[in-house]
Amino acid sequence: MKKYFLFSLIFFISMTLVVLAYNYNNRGGGLFNNPVGIEVVGSGNIYVVDCGNGRIQKFSDTGKFIMQWGEQGNGEGCFDRPSHIAADKDKNLYVTDTNNHRIQKFKHDGTFLLSWGKSGKSAGDFRFPQGITVDKEGEVAVVDTENNRVQKFNSEGKLISVWGVKGRGIGQFSAPRGITVDKYRNIYVCDAGNGRVIKFNSEGQYQSSWGGEGSDKNLFLSPVDITIDSRGNVFVADLGKSCVIKLSPEGKKISTWGSYGINSGELAGPNGISMGTDERYVYVADSGNNRVQKFNTKGRFVIQWGSYGKVF
């Protein structure tokens, strides 16, 4: 009896250590604490910025957890409330490390490459950067949210240009958030505080805007992230309306999907959106529900994955 008890105790302790080791190495892979940014890279690899847990998680396009990296902090590869992520043609990843007021660059396997930026108002500095995108020439455009501007850099972090000031006028911003770029290198910015999307050319010159004041003032409530397909159709995650709004290349509303809720296809404050590489599906970071949802481009729900969890 004593031998049986001892064997059972040893087995229990061994299995507990195995489980703890597995959980430590995976750190709750597939669980989220306020997922925000999302990017589809290559043949369906999905990278999600798990903001509240200070890490990046990688999944297959069916939601299978693959790997993760990052932890809370301000060292290399650490994060403090990261928000968005973008990939270049070489599959390098750029992350807005929001509360550390910097950009970090990684290989697709999470290997740290470099970082740039610090807190400030001068050109090249940041105050809580959020949206980020990379064009076909490898230039990186960053939404410098609290400074109400967009800054563009080369792939090594050298400043190229800066534009935008706080305001409601043409080319001005109020708490801008998401950003994307089309195949012509035009840049689209979610001017969240003004309830509109603004389009610029690659040099930051104003082209047009949708939403805000005027005849389409109710188009958006709080647009926070944006993605675009090769035909120029635009998909906007509207945080305030808890929905996705699809627009034509001219900015005319085509469709809307999602409404506030917890069921499949419903959303609770979506913060991130990304187009699949085959342009058949759209992936949404459903932040309030701590999950990712996959839709086709007409808004039909496909699958979802994730639930709430903190890294221990």
Side-chain angles (χ1 to χ4, degrees):
M1 187 68 177
K2 289 182 179 181
K3 288 183 179 181
Y4 177 78
F5 175 78
L6 183 60
F7 174 80
S8 299
L9 180 61
I10 292 172
F11 178 79
F12 174 78
I13 293 172
S14 298
M15 291 304 297
T16 300
L17 290 174
V18 168
V19 170
L20 288 174
Y22 175 83
N23 286 336
Y24 178 78
N25 290 330
N26 289 275
R27 295 170 57 208
L31 301 179
F32 297 115
N33 181 10
N34 188 30
V36 180
I38 186 168
E39 180 78 326
V40 184
V41 181
S43 58
N45 292 308
I46 318 298
Y47 293 84
V48 182
V49 180
D50 187 8
C51 176
N53 285 322
R55 63 180 176 177
I56 309 300
Q57 296 196 64
K58 179 181 178 181
F59 301 88
S60 72
D61 61 358
T62 59
K64 181 181 178 181
F65 173 76
I66 298 173
M67 63 172 293
Q68 63 84 34
W69 73 88
E71 59 185 61
Q72 296 286 350
N74 56 17
E76 292 182 355
C78 297
F79 302 105
D80 187 357
R81 305 294 296 181
S83 58
H84 286 81
I85 186 168
D88 64 20
K89 61 184 179 181
D90 297 318
K91 301 181 183 179
N92 296 312
L93 299 164
Y94 301 78
V95 180
T96 47
D97 187 8
T98 301
N99 283 15
N100 281 324
H101 312 287
R102 65 183 179 183
I103 306 303
Q104 294 199 68
K105 180 180 178 180
F106 302 88
K107 291 183 179 180
H108 64 87
D109 62 359
T111 302
F112 174 83
L113 293 174
L114 61 92
S115 67
W116 71 86
K118 59 181 176 60
S119 178
K121 296 182 179 181
S122 300
D125 294 341
F126 299 110
R127 288 292 294 164
F128 303 102
Q130 294 202 38
I132 190 166
T133 192
V134 186
D135 68 21
K136 63 184 180 181
E137 300 299 323
E139 293 184 346
V140 183
V142 182
V143 176
D144 188 8
T145 299
E146 194 166 289
N147 284 325
N148 290 289
R149 63 188 181 185
V150 173
Q151 300 198 70
K152 181 179 274 194
F153 303 84
N154 70 12
S155 61
E156 300 303 310
K158 182 179 179 180
L159 183 68
I160 297 172
S161 60
V162 183
W163 69 88
V165 295
K166 184 174 177 59
R168 300 176 66 181
I170 293 176
Q172 298 178 337
F173 301 113
S174 175
R177 299 278 294 274
I179 188 170
T180 196
V181 62
D182 67 20
K183 62 183 179 181
Y184 303 109
R185 302 179 68 206
N186 295 309
I187 293 170
Y188 303 74
V189 181
C190 290
D191 184 16
N194 287 320
R196 63 186 177 184
V197 169
I198 308 178
K199 179 181 178 181
F200 302 89
N201 68 14
S202 63
E203 297 178 348
Q205 297 171 331
Y206 174 85
Q207 302 295 298
S208 62
S209 65
W210 313 321
E213 298 178 346
S215 59
D216 59 349
K217 65 180 180 179
N218 296 318
L219 182 59
F220 307 114
L221 180 57
S222 183
V224 292
D225 203 17
I226 185 168
T227 192
I228 191 166
D229 66 21
S230 60
R231 296 183 296 276
N233 296 306
V234 177
F235 301 78
V236 179
D238 193 313
L239 179 73
K241 290 184 176 182
S242 286
C243 71
V244 174
I245 300 169
K246 181 179 179 180
L247 309 169
S248 72
E250 297 75 35
K252 301 299 182 183
K253 185 168 72 171
I254 297 173
S255 61
T256 300
W257 72 80
S259 59
Y260 183 80
I262 62 174
N263 298 316
S264 298
E266 296 178 335
L267 301 165
N271 266 290
I273 189 167
S274 184
M275 175 67 60
T277 50
D278 60 4
E279 299 193 346
R280 296 174 57 202
Y281 302 105
V282 175
Y283 299 79
V284 180
D286 185 11
S287 305
N289 286 321
N290 290 291
R291 64 186 178 186
V292 171
Q293 295 201 66
K294 179 179 179 179
F295 301 87
N296 70 15
T297 55
K298 293 183 179 180
R300 181 177 179 181
F301 171 80
V302 180
I303 58 170
Q304 67 181 27
W305 69 87
S307 58
Y308 175 74
K310 286 186 177 180
V311 174
F312 64 87

